[in-house]
């Protein structure tokens, strides 16, 4: 399984699935979730509706709708101050990769999850997400490519440095 880092808009990527960091209610009201629903179609919002709030690390799959991807994997990410945030972000990353394997897809794209309103620094996020992805490699069967789609130079540089450090 190859890990790739790109500076791009995640919605523009031709991958099998995009990962959306979601809130426990799967309400997609802000950030990337709002953009995915706006461009992917309202059916995505309705398909991911849950009767009760989900725990961090839970994941729900919907169609990609009008997006270039076939699927969107919505995974619940922690917010700073909840407690045990690192373990919860690791669980969210693992759940997204596990769902990609269950879908038997070859390529998945992830943003720097929990760095927006959730309050994680890019450094902390990179260490957790890349570390989790490296740990997941042994389980990967269909998943050949994990793309970290990073918006901006600083996040990209941070992820690149952390990836080099953790792979060495």
């Amino acid at each position: 399984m190859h890990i790739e880092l790109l500076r791009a808009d995640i919605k523009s990527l031709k991958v099998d699935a995009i990962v959306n960091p979601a809130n426990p209610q799967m309400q997609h009201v802000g950030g990337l979730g709002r953009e995915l629903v706006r461009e992917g179609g309202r059916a995505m919002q309705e398909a991911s509706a849950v009767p009760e709030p989900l725990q961090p690390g839970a994941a729900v799959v919907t169609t990609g709708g009008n997006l270039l991807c076939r699927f969107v994997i919505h995974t619940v990410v922690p917010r700073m101050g909840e407690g045990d945030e690192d373990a919860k972000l690791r669980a969210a990353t693992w759940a997204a990769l596990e769902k990609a394997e269950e879908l038997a897809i070859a390529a998945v794209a992830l943003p720097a999850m929990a760095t927006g309103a959730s309050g994680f620094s890019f450094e902390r996020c990179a260490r957790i997400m890349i570390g989790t992805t490296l740990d997941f490699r042994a389980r990967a069967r269909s998943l050949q490519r994990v793309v970290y789609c990073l918006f901006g130079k600083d996040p990209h540089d941070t992820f690149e440095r952390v990836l080099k450090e953790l792979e060495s």
Side-chain angles (χ1 to χ4, degrees), residues 21-105:
N23 62 34
Q25 296 79 22
M26 295 284 159
Q27 291 175 324
H28 320 305
V29 293
L32 179 58
R34 179 180 51 214
E35 292 296 311
L36 291 174
V37 168
R38 186 174 61 79
E39 292 186 30
R42 196 85 189 125
M44 187 183 307
Q45 174 76 48
E46 293 159 7
S48 65
V50 292
E52 297 179 12
L54 299 173
Q55 295 300 311
V60 174
V61 177
T62 65
T63 176
N66 301 325
L67 298 168
L68 297 174
C69 61
R70 290 181 15 222
F71 303 103
V72 176
I73 300 169
H74 309 271
T75 186
V76 180
V77 297
R79 294 181 70 85
M80 293 307 287
E82 286 180 353
D84 208 16
E85 297 92 354
D86 290 6
K88 290 175 181 177
L89 182 56
R90 178 176 169 75
T93 305
W94 190 275
L97 297 171
E98 191 69 43
K99 284 289 183 191
E101 272 297 318
E102 288 173 17
L103 294 167
I105 61 174

Coordinates of all heavy atoms in Angstrom, one line a residue, residues 21-105:
P21 N -14.4 13.8 7.5 CA -14.4 13.8 9.0 C -15.8 14.4 9.4 O -16.1 15.5 9.1 CB -13.3 14.7 9.3 CG -13.0 15.5 8.1 CD -13.5 14.7 6.9
A22 N -16.6 13.6 10.1 CA -17.9 14.0 10.4 C -18.1 14.2 11.9 O -17.4 13.7 12.8 CB -18.9 12.9 9.9
N23 N -19.3 14.8 12.3 CA -19.7 14.9 13.7 C -20.5 13.7 14.0 O -20.9 12.9 13.1 CB -20.4 16.2 13.9 CG -21.7 16.4 13.1 OD1 -22.4 15.4 12.9 ND2 -22.0 17.6 12.7
P24 N -20.8 13.4 15.3 CA -21.5 12.2 15.7 C -22.9 12.1 15.2 O -23.4 11.0 15.0 CB -21.5 12.3 17.3 CG -20.4 13.2 17.6 CD -20.2 14.2 16.5
Q25 N -23.5 13.2 14.8 CA -24.9 13.2 14.2 C -24.9 13.0 12.7 O -25.9 13.0 12.1 CB -25.6 14.5 14.6 CG -25.8 14.7 16.1 CD -24.6 15.2 16.8 OE1 -23.7 15.8 16.2 NE2 -24.5 14.9 18.1
M26 N -23.7 13.0 12.1 CA -23.6 13.0 10.6 C -24.4 14.1 10.0 O -25.0 13.9 9.0 CB -24.0 11.6 10.1 CG -23.2 10.4 10.6 SD -21.7 10.4 9.6 CE -20.7 9.4 10.7
Q27 N -24.2 15.3 10.5 CA -25.0 16.4 10.0 C -24.3 17.2 8.9 O -24.9 18.1 8.4 CB -25.4 17.3 11.1 CG -26.5 16.7 12.0 CD -26.8 17.5 13.2 OE1 -26.0 18.2 13.7 NE2 -28.1 17.5 13.6
H28 N -23.1 17.0 8.6 CA -22.4 17.7 7.5 C -22.7 19.1 7.3 O -23.0 19.6 6.2 CB -22.6 16.9 6.2 CG -22.6 15.4 6.3 ND1 -21.6 14.7 6.9 CD2 -23.5 14.5 6.0 CE1 -21.8 13.5 6.9 NE2 -23.0 13.3 6.4
V29 N -22.7 19.9 8.4 CA -23.1 21.3 8.3 C -21.9 22.3 8.2 O -22.1 23.5 8.0 CB -23.9 21.7 9.6 CG1 -25.2 21.0 9.6 CG2 -23.1 21.4 10.9
G30 N -20.7 21.8 8.3 CA -19.6 22.7 8.2 C -18.4 22.1 7.5 O -18.4 20.9 7.2
G31 N -17.5 22.9 7.1 CA -16.2 22.4 6.5 C -16.4 21.5 5.3 O -17.2 21.8 4.4
L32 N -15.6 20.5 5.2 CA -15.6 19.6 4.1 C -16.9 18.9 3.9 O -17.4 18.7 2.8 CB -14.5 18.5 4.3 CG -14.4 17.5 3.2 CD1 -14.1 18.1 1.8 CD2 -13.2 16.5 3.5
G33 N -17.6 18.5 5.0 CA -18.8 17.8 4.9 C -19.9 18.6 4.2 O -20.6 18.1 3.3
R34 N -20.0 19.9 4.5 CA -20.9 20.8 3.8 C -20.6 20.9 2.3 O -21.5 20.8 1.5 CB -20.9 22.2 4.4 CG -21.8 23.2 3.8 CD -21.8 24.5 4.4 NE -20.4 25.0 4.5 CZ -20.0 25.8 5.5 NH1 -20.8 26.1 6.5 NH2 -18.7 26.2 5.5
E35 N -19.3 21.0 2.0 CA -18.9 21.0 0.6 C -19.2 19.7 -0.2 O -19.7 19.8 -1.3 CB -17.4 21.3 0.5 CG -17.0 22.7 0.9 CD -17.6 23.8 0.1 OE1 -17.5 23.7 -1.2 OE2 -18.2 24.7 0.6
L36 N -19.0 18.6 0.5 CA -19.3 17.3 -0.2 C -20.8 17.2 -0.4 O -21.2 16.7 -1.5 CB -18.8 16.2 0.7 CG -17.3 16.0 0.8 CD1 -16.9 14.9 1.8 CD2 -16.6 15.7 -0.5
V37 N -21.6 17.6 0.5 CA -23.1 17.5 0.3 C -23.5 18.5 -0.8 O -24.3 18.2 -1.7 CB -23.8 17.7 1.6 CG1 -25.3 17.9 1.4 CG2 -23.6 16.6 2.6
R38 N -22.9 19.7 -0.8 CA -23.3 20.7 -1.8 C -22.9 20.2 -3.2 O -23.8 20.3 -4.1 CB -22.5 22.0 -1.5 CG -23.0 23.2 -2.4 CD -22.3 24.5 -2.0 NE -20.9 24.5 -2.0 CZ -20.2 24.6 -3.1 NH1 -20.8 24.8 -4.3 NH2 -18.9 24.6 -3.1
E39 N -21.8 19.6 -3.4 CA -21.3 19.2 -4.7 C -21.8 17.7 -5.0 O -22.0 17.4 -6.2 CB -19.8 19.3 -4.8 CG -19.4 20.8 -4.9 CD -17.9 20.9 -5.2 OE1 -17.3 20.1 -5.9 OE2 -17.4 22.0 -4.7
G40 N -21.9 16.9 -4.0 CA -22.2 15.5 -4.2 C -23.7 15.3 -4.3 O -24.1 14.3 -4.9
G41 N -24.5 16.1 -3.7 CA -25.9 16.0 -3.8 C -26.5 15.7 -2.4 O -25.9 15.1 -1.5
R42 N -27.7 16.2 -2.2 CA -28.5 16.1 -0.9 C -28.7 14.6 -0.5 O -28.8 14.3 0.6 CB -29.8 16.8 -1.1 CG -30.5 17.0 0.2 CD -29.9 18.4 0.8 NE -30.4 18.5 2.2 CZ -29.7 18.7 3.2 NH1 -28.4 18.8 3.0 NH2 -30.1 18.8 4.4
A43 N -28.7 13.7 -1.5 CA -28.9 12.3 -1.2 C -27.8 11.8 -0.2 O -28.1 10.9 0.6 CB -29.0 11.5 -2.4
M44 N -26.7 12.3 -0.4 CA -25.6 11.9 0.5 C -25.9 12.2 2.0 O -25.7 11.4 2.9 CB -24.3 12.7 0.1 CG -23.0 12.2 0.8 SD -21.6 13.1 0.4 CE -21.6 13.0 -1.4
Q45 N -26.4 13.4 2.2 CA -26.8 13.8 3.6 C -27.9 12.8 4.1 O -27.8 12.3 5.2 CB -27.4 15.2 3.6 CG -27.9 15.7 4.9 CD -26.9 16.0 6.0 OE1 -25.9 16.7 5.7 NE2 -27.0 15.4 7.2
E46 N -28.9 12.6 3.3 CA -30.0 11.7 3.7 C -29.5 10.3 3.9 O -29.9 9.6 4.9 CB -31.1 11.8 2.7 CG -31.8 13.1 2.7 CD -32.5 13.4 1.4 OE1 -32.7 12.5 0.5 OE2 -32.9 14.6 1.2
A47 N -28.6 9.8 3.1 CA -28.1 8.4 3.2 C -27.3 8.2 4.4 O -27.1 7.1 4.9 CB -27.3 8.0 1.9
S48 N -26.7 9.3 5.0 CA -25.8 9.1 6.1 C -26.5 9.4 7.4 O -25.9 9.4 8.5 CB -24.5 9.9 6.0 OG -24.9 11.3 6.0
A49 N -27.8 9.7 7.4 CA -28.5 10.0 8.6 C -28.5 8.8 9.6 O -28.6 7.7 9.2 CB -30.0 10.4 8.2
V50 N -28.3 9.2 10.8 CA -28.3 8.1 11.9 C -29.3 8.4 12.9 O -29.5 9.6 13.2 CB -26.9 8.0 12.5 CG1 -25.9 7.5 11.5 CG2 -26.4 9.3 13.1
P51 N -29.9 7.4 13.5 CA -31.0 7.6 14.5 C -30.4 8.1 15.8 O -31.1 8.9 16.6 CB -31.6 6.3 14.7 CG -30.6 5.3 14.2 CD -29.8 6.0 13.2
E52 N -29.2 7.8 16.2 CA -28.5 8.2 17.4 C -27.1 8.7 17.1 O -26.5 8.2 16.1 CB -28.4 7.0 18.4 CG -29.8 6.5 18.9 CD -29.6 5.3 19.8 OE1 -28.4 5.1 20.3 OE2 -30.5 4.6 20.1
P53 N -26.6 9.6 17.9 CA -25.2 10.0 17.6 C -24.2 8.8 17.7 O -24.4 7.9 18.5 CB -24.9 11.0 18.8 CG -26.2 11.5 19.2 CD -27.2 10.3 19.0
L54 N -23.2 8.8 16.8 CA -22.2 7.8 16.7 C -21.0 8.2 17.6 O -20.8 9.3 17.8 CB -21.8 7.6 15.3 CG -22.9 7.2 14.3 CD1 -22.3 7.2 12.9 CD2 -23.4 5.8 14.6
Q55 N -20.3 7.2 18.0 CA -19.1 7.4 18.8 C -17.9 7.7 17.8 O -17.9 7.3 16.7 CB -18.7 6.1 19.6 CG -19.8 5.8 20.6 CD -19.9 6.8 21.6 OE1 -19.0 7.4 22.2 NE2 -21.2 7.2 21.9
P56 N -16.9 8.5 18.3 CA -15.7 8.7 17.5 C -15.1 7.4 17.1 O -15.0 6.4 17.8 CB -14.8 9.4 18.5 CG -15.7 10.2 19.4 CD -16.9 9.2 19.6
G57 N -14.7 7.3 15.8 CA -14.2 6.1 15.2 C -15.2 5.3 14.4 O -14.9 4.4 13.7
A58 N -16.5 5.6 14.6 CA -17.5 5.0 13.8 C -17.5 5.5 12.4 O -17.1 6.6 12.1 CB -18.9 5.2 14.4
A59 N -17.9 4.7 11.4 CA -17.8 5.1 10.0 C -19.1 4.7 9.3 O -19.6 3.6 9.5 CB -16.6 4.6 9.3
V60 N -19.6 5.5 8.4 CA -20.8 5.3 7.6 C -20.4 5.5 6.1 O -19.7 6.5 5.8 CB -21.9 6.2 8.0 CG1 -23.1 6.1 7.1 CG2 -22.3 5.9 9.4
V61 N -20.8 4.7 5.2 CA -20.5 4.8 3.8 C -21.7 5.3 3.0 O -22.8 4.8 3.2 CB -20.0 3.5 3.2 CG1 -19.7 3.6 1.7 CG2 -18.8 3.0 3.9
T62 N -21.5 6.2 2.1 CA -22.6 6.7 1.2 C -22.0 6.7 -0.2 O -20.8 6.5 -0.4 CB -23.1 8.1 1.5 OG1 -22.0 9.0 1.3 CG2 -23.6 8.2 2.9
T63 N -22.9 6.8 -1.2 CA -22.5 7.0 -2.5 C -21.7 8.3 -2.7 O -21.9 9.2 -1.8 CB -23.7 7.1 -3.5 OG1 -23.3 7.3 -4.8 CG2 -24.7 8.1 -3.1
G64 N -20.9 8.4 -3.7 CA -20.2 9.7 -4.0 C -21.1 10.7 -4.7 O -20.8 11.8 -4.9
G65 N -22.3 10.3 -5.0 CA -23.3 11.2 -5.7 C -22.7 11.8 -7.0 O -22.2 11.1 -7.8
N66 N -22.7 13.1 -7.1 CA -22.2 13.8 -8.2 C -20.6 14.0 -8.2 O -20.1 14.7 -9.1 CB -22.8 15.2 -8.4 CG -24.3 15.0 -8.5 OD1 -24.8 14.1 -9.1 ND2 -25.1 16.0 -7.9
L67 N -20.0 13.5 -7.1 CA -18.5 13.7 -7.0 C -17.8 12.7 -8.0 O -18.5 11.8 -8.5 CB -18.1 13.4 -5.6 CG -18.7 14.4 -4.5 CD1 -18.4 13.9 -3.1 CD2 -18.1 15.8 -4.7
L68 N -16.5 12.9 -8.1 CA -15.8 12.0 -9.0 C -15.5 10.6 -8.4 O -15.2 9.7 -9.1 CB -14.4 12.6 -9.3 CG -14.5 13.9 -10.1 CD1 -13.1 14.5 -10.3 CD2 -15.1 13.7 -11.5
C69 N -15.7 10.5 -7.1 CA -15.5 9.2 -6.4 C -16.8 8.4 -6.3 O -17.9 9.0 -6.5 CB -15.0 9.5 -4.9 SG -16.2 10.4 -3.9
R70 N -16.6 7.1 -6.2 CA -17.8 6.2 -6.1 C -18.4 6.3 -4.7 O -19.7 6.1 -4.5 CB -17.4 4.8 -6.4 CG -17.1 4.6 -7.9 CD -16.7 3.2 -8.3 NE -17.0 2.1 -7.3 CZ -16.2 1.1 -7.0 NH1 -15.0 1.0 -7.6 NH2 -16.6 0.2 -6.2
F71 N -17.6 6.5 -3.6 CA -18.1 6.4 -2.3 C -17.5 7.6 -1.4 O -16.5 8.1 -1.8 CB -17.6 5.1 -1.6 CG -18.0 3.9 -2.3 CD1 -17.1 3.1 -3.0 CD2 -19.3 3.3 -2.2 CE1 -17.4 2.0 -3.7 CE2 -19.6 2.2 -2.8 CZ -18.7 1.5 -3.6
V72 N -18.3 7.9 -0.4 CA -17.8 8.8 0.7 C -17.8 8.0 2.0 O -18.9 7.4 2.3 CB -18.5 10.1 0.8 CG1 -18.0 10.9 1.9 CG2 -18.5 10.9 -0.5
I73 N -16.7 7.9 2.6 CA -16.7 7.3 3.9 C -16.7 8.4 5.0 O -15.7 9.2 5.1 CB -15.4 6.4 4.1 CG1 -15.3 5.3 3.0 CG2 -15.3 5.8 5.5 CD1 -14.0 4.6 2.9
H74 N -17.8 8.5 5.8 CA -17.9 9.5 6.8 C -17.5 8.9 8.1 O -18.0 7.8 8.5 CB -19.4 9.9 6.9 CG -20.0 10.3 5.6 ND1 -19.9 11.6 5.1 CD2 -20.7 9.6 4.7 CE1 -20.5 11.6 3.9 NE2 -21.0 10.4 3.6
T75 N -16.5 9.4 8.8 CA -16.0 8.9 10.0 C -16.0 10.0 11.1 O -15.7 11.1 10.8 CB -14.6 8.2 9.9 OG1 -14.3 7.6 11.1 CG2 -13.5 9.2 9.5
V76 N -16.5 9.6 12.3 CA -16.6 10.5 13.4 C -15.2 10.8 14.0 O -14.5 9.9 14.4 CB -17.5 10.0 14.5 CG1 -17.7 11.0 15.6 CG2 -18.9 9.7 13.9
V77 N -14.9 12.1 14.0 CA -13.6 12.6 14.6 C -13.8 13.3 15.9 O -14.9 13.8 16.2 CB -12.8 13.5 13.6 CG1 -12.5 12.7 12.3 CG2 -13.6 14.7 13.3
P78 N -12.8 13.2 16.8 CA -12.9 13.9 18.1 C -12.8 15.4 18.0 O -12.3 15.9 17.0 CB -11.8 13.3 18.9 CG -10.7 13.0 17.8 CD -11.5 12.6 16.6
R79 N -13.2 16.0 19.0 CA -13.0 17.5 19.2 C -12.1 17.6 20.4 O -12.1 16.9 21.4 CB -14.3 18.2 19.5 CG -15.2 18.2 18.3 CD -16.5 18.9 18.6 NE -16.3 20.4 18.7 CZ -16.3 21.2 17.6 NH1 -16.4 20.7 16.4 NH2 -16.1 22.5 17.8
M80 N -11.2 18.6 20.4 CA -10.3 18.9 21.5 C -11.1 19.1 22.8 O -12.2 19.8 22.7 CB -9.4 20.1 21.2 CG -8.4 19.8 20.1 SD -7.4 18.3 20.3 CE -6.3 18.9 21.6
G81 N -10.7 18.6 23.9 CA -11.4 18.7 25.1 C -12.3 17.6 25.5 O -12.8 17.5 26.6
E82 N -12.5 16.7 24.6 CA -13.4 15.5 24.9 C -12.6 14.5 25.7 O -13.3 13.7 26.4 CB -13.7 14.7 23.6 CG -14.7 15.4 22.7 CD -15.0 14.5 21.4 OE1 -14.3 13.5 21.2 OE2 -15.9 14.9 20.7
G83 N -11.3 14.5 25.7 CA -10.5 13.5 26.4 C -10.2 12.3 25.4 O -11.0 12.0 24.5
D84 N -9.0 11.8 25.5 CA -8.5 10.7 24.8 C -8.6 10.9 23.2 O -8.9 10.1 22.5 CB -9.3 9.4 25.1 CG -8.5 8.1 24.9 OD1 -7.3 8.2 24.8 OD2 -9.1 7.1 24.8
E85 N -8.3 12.2 22.9 CA -8.5 12.6 21.5 C -7.6 11.9 20.5 O -8.0 11.5 19.4 CB -8.2 14.1 21.3 CG -9.2 15.0 22.1 CD -8.8 15.4 23.5 OE1 -7.8 14.8 23.9 OE2 -9.5 16.2 24.1
D86 N -6.3 11.6 20.9 CA -5.4 10.9 20.0 C -5.9 9.5 19.7 O -5.9 9.1 18.5 CB -4.0 10.8 20.7 CG -3.3 12.1 20.8 OD1 -3.9 13.2 20.4 OD2 -2.1 12.1 21.1
A87 N -6.4 8.8 20.7 CA -6.9 7.4 20.4 C -8.2 7.5 19.6 O -8.4 6.6 18.7 CB -7.2 6.7 21.8
K88 N -9.0 8.5 19.7 CA -10.2 8.6 18.9 C -9.9 9.0 17.5 O -10.5 8.5 16.6 CB -11.1 9.7 19.6 CG -11.7 9.2 20.9 CD -12.5 10.4 21.5 CE -13.1 9.9 22.8 NZ -13.9 11.0 23.5
L89 N -8.9 9.8 17.3 CA -8.5 10.1 15.9 C -7.8 8.9 15.2 O -8.1 8.6 14.1 CB -7.5 11.3 15.8 CG -7.1 11.7 14.4 CD1 -8.3 12.0 13.5 CD2 -6.1 12.9 14.5
R90 N -7.1 8.2 16.0 CA -6.5 6.9 15.5 C -7.7 6.0 15.1 O -7.6 5.4 14.0 CB -5.6 6.3 16.5 CG -5.0 4.9 16.0 CD -4.0 4.3 17.0 NE -3.7 3.0 16.7 CZ -2.9 2.6 15.8 NH1 -2.3 3.5 15.0 NH2 -2.6 1.3 15.6
A91 N -8.7 5.8 15.9 CA -9.8 5.0 15.7 C -10.6 5.4 14.4 O -11.0 4.6 13.6 CB -10.8 4.9 16.9
A92 N -10.7 6.7 14.2 CA -11.4 7.3 13.1 C -10.7 7.0 11.8 O -11.2 6.6 10.8 CB -11.6 8.8 13.2
T93 N -9.3 7.1 11.8 CA -8.5 6.8 10.7 C -8.6 5.3 10.4 O -8.7 4.9 9.2 CB -7.0 7.3 10.9 OG1 -7.0 8.6 11.3 CG2 -6.2 7.1 9.7
W94 N -8.4 4.5 11.4 CA -8.5 3.0 11.2 C -9.8 2.6 10.6 O -9.9 1.8 9.7 CB -8.2 2.3 12.5 CG -8.0 0.9 12.4 CD1 -9.0 -0.1 12.3 CD2 -6.8 0.2 12.2 NE1 -8.4 -1.4 12.2 CE2 -7.0 -1.2 12.1 CE3 -5.4 0.6 12.2 CZ2 -6.0 -2.1 11.9 CZ3 -4.4 -0.3 12.0 CH2 -4.7 -1.7 11.9
A95 N -10.9 3.2 11.1 CA -12.3 2.8 10.7 C -12.4 3.2 9.2 O -13.0 2.5 8.4 CB -13.3 3.6 11.5
A96 N -11.9 4.3 8.8 CA -12.0 4.8 7.4 C -11.2 3.8 6.5 O -11.7 3.4 5.4 CB -11.4 6.2 7.2
L97 N -10.0 3.4 6.9 CA -9.2 2.5 6.1 C -9.9 1.1 6.1 O -9.9 0.4 5.0 CB -7.8 2.4 6.7 CG -7.0 3.7 6.6 CD1 -5.7 3.5 7.3 CD2 -6.8 4.1 5.1
E98 N -10.5 0.7 7.2 CA -11.2 -0.6 7.3 C -12.4 -0.6 6.3 O -12.6 -1.6 5.6 CB -11.6 -0.9 8.7 CG -12.1 -2.3 9.0 CD -11.0 -3.3 8.9 OE1 -9.9 -3.1 9.4 OE2 -11.2 -4.4 8.3
K99 N -13.1 0.5 6.3 CA -14.3 0.6 5.4 C -13.8 0.5 3.9 O -14.5 -0.1 3.1 CB -15.1 1.9 5.6 CG -15.9 1.9 6.8 CD -17.1 0.9 6.7 CE -18.0 1.0 7.9 NZ -19.0 0.0 7.9
A100 N -12.7 1.1 3.6 CA -12.2 1.1 2.3 C -11.8 -0.4 1.9 O -12.1 -0.8 0.8 CB -10.9 1.9 2.1
E101 N -11.3 -1.1 2.8 CA -11.0 -2.5 2.6 C -12.3 -3.3 2.4 O -12.4 -4.2 1.5 CB -10.2 -3.1 3.7 CG -8.7 -3.0 3.6 CD -8.1 -3.8 2.4 OE1 -8.5 -4.9 2.1 OE2 -7.3 -3.2 1.7
E102 N -13.3 -3.0 3.2 CA -14.6 -3.7 3.1 C -15.2 -3.5 1.8 O -15.9 -4.4 1.2 CB -15.5 -3.3 4.2 CG -15.2 -3.8 5.6 CD -16.0 -3.2 6.7 OE1 -17.1 -2.6 6.4 OE2 -15.6 -3.3 7.9
L103 N -15.0 -2.3 1.2 CA -15.6 -1.9 -0.1 C -14.7 -2.5 -1.2 O -15.1 -2.4 -2.4 CB -15.6 -0.4 -0.3 CG -16.6 0.3 0.7 CD1 -16.4 1.8 0.6 CD2 -18.1 0.0 0.2
A104 N -13.6 -3.1 -0.9 CA -12.6 -3.7 -1.9 C -12.2 -2.7 -2.9 O -12.2 -3.0 -4.1 CB -13.3 -5.0 -2.5
I105 N -11.9 -1.5 -2.5 CA -11.4 -0.5 -3.4 C -9.9 -0.4 -3.4 O -9.2 -0.9 -2.5 CB -12.1 0.9 -3.1 CG1 -11.7 1.4 -1.7 CG2 -13.6 0.8 -3.2 CD1 -12.2 2.7 -1.3

